[in-house]
Amino acid sequence: GLDELVRRHVGGDGIGAMLGGDEHDSALGQAFDEATGRDASEGDGAEGGLDDVVVLASGNLGLVYFTRDAERTPLEAIEARHPDLLPALREHPHIGWILVRSTERGAVVLGPAGANYLDEGRVEGVDPLALFPEGAGEHLRRSDGFSNVADLMINSFYDHAREEGCAFEELISFHGGMGGPQSRPFILAPRELDPPAEPPVGAEAVHDLLDGWRRSLQGPPPA
C-alpha cells in the first residue's frame, strides 16, 4: 500500500505511528462514533494528532501530511528530513505525479523523468502531466492554493491507451484523482445560453457559470 511505501522511506526520524486509510474507513468510523455516542477524542491516541506522518487515500489520489509542522511542509524540508522518500515515490511504476510546494519555486509537479513548475510555467525533462487531461495544471494550481492541501498530493499512473490507473484504496473502480473518464466532466445546457469564455476550473467557477445563466433568465434576485 501507499502507506507502507511511505513508511519504508521515512525511517530514522522518530516516526511514532502512521495512519493508513481511505474515505470509506473515515466515513464508517464517523458513523460508528455517532451511533454509539463515542467522542472521537476518547480514542487510544492513534488519531489524536501525535503522528508525524499521516497517509490517506481517495481513489487514485493519495495524501501525505507531515504533522510536525504547523504549516505546509515545503519540498526543501522534505528532501532534508527524508532524502529517500521523493525519489522512491517518483520511481514507483504505479505513481504518475506528486504535487508539492517549493519555498523557492512555488508549486511543482514531480514525475518519473521530469518536473512541471506550475507557478513558473516551466517544464524540466518529461512533463509528468503530459498524459493527463488538458488543464490539469490549472486544477493543481487551484488545489495548491487551499489552506489544508496535503504536503504531498500523489496521483497514480495513467495509461492513456488503455485508460487504466490504480487505486490507493480497496476499490474496483475509483474517483478522486486525475486520469480517464473521471477527468472529463461536462455540462449539458441549451444552446441559447452563452458558453464560458474559458473552461471552468473548480466548483466555484461552475457555480458562477450556472448562477450567471440563472440571472440571465430570471434577472437579479430581490434585494
Side-chain angles (χ1 to χ4, degrees):
L2 179 62
D3 56 338
E4 185 59 31
L5 178 63
V6 173
R7 180 195 297 273
R8 195 180 304 157
H9 294 93
V10 297
D13 194 38
I15 302 299
M18 179 175 294
L19 298 178
D22 58 38
E23 56 189 322
H24 302 288
D25 291 338
S26 301
L28 180 61
Q30 181 178 356
F32 178 81
D33 291 341
E34 291 176 353
T36 60
R38 176 179 178 273
D39 186 345
S41 64
E42 298 174 356
D44 57 8
E47 297 190 30
L50 300 178
D51 304 291
D52 285 342
V53 184
V54 176
V55 180
L56 300 171
S58 177
N60 67 321
L61 180 68
L63 308 173
V64 179
Y65 292 89
F66 300 96
T67 60
R68 154 189 307 192
D69 301 319
E71 303 294 334
R72 187 177 181 189
T73 306
L75 169 66
E76 291 79 5
I78 296 172
E79 290 179 326
R81 295 178 194 168
H82 313 291
D84 297 332
L85 178 59
L86 288 175
L89 293 174
R90 297 178 72 174
E91 294 168 3
H92 197 283
H94 290 166
I95 291 178
W97 52 256
I98 305 154
L99 174 67
V100 63
R101 171 155 283 272
S102 166
T103 301
E104 300 175 359
R105 306 184 65 176
V108 55
V109 182
L110 304 175
N116 186 326
Y117 293 89
L118 299 177
D119 291 343
E120 297 179 356
R122 188 159 159 260
V123 174
E124 295 180 357
V126 179
D127 185 0
L129 299 179
L131 296 179
F132 290 86
E134 183 179 357
E138 291 299 319
H139 284 275
L140 291 183
R141 189 179 292 110
R142 170 178 175 268
S143 296
D144 183 77
F146 293 161
S147 62
N148 58 351
V149 64
D151 298 318
L152 298 177
M153 286 182 60
I154 303 171
N155 202 91
S156 83
F157 80 96
Y158 174 59
D159 185 321
H160 185 75
R162 302 175 65 181
E163 287 205 330
E164 286 187 351
C166 70
F168 295 132
E169 53 182 329
E170 296 297 327
L171 297 176
I172 297 174
S173 186
F174 53 84
H175 68 279
M178 288 186 177
Q182 66 172 347
S183 298
R184 297 194 293 269
F186 64 90
I187 297 175
L188 184 64
R191 289 176 181 231
E192 57 265 26
L193 298 178
D194 293 331
E198 299 290 338
V201 175
E204 303 91 341
V206 173
H207 173 270
D208 290 343
L209 174 64
L210 298 178
D211 188 55
W213 283 344
R214 181 190 64 79
R215 290 171 181 269
S216 71
L217 296 173
Q218 298 179 351

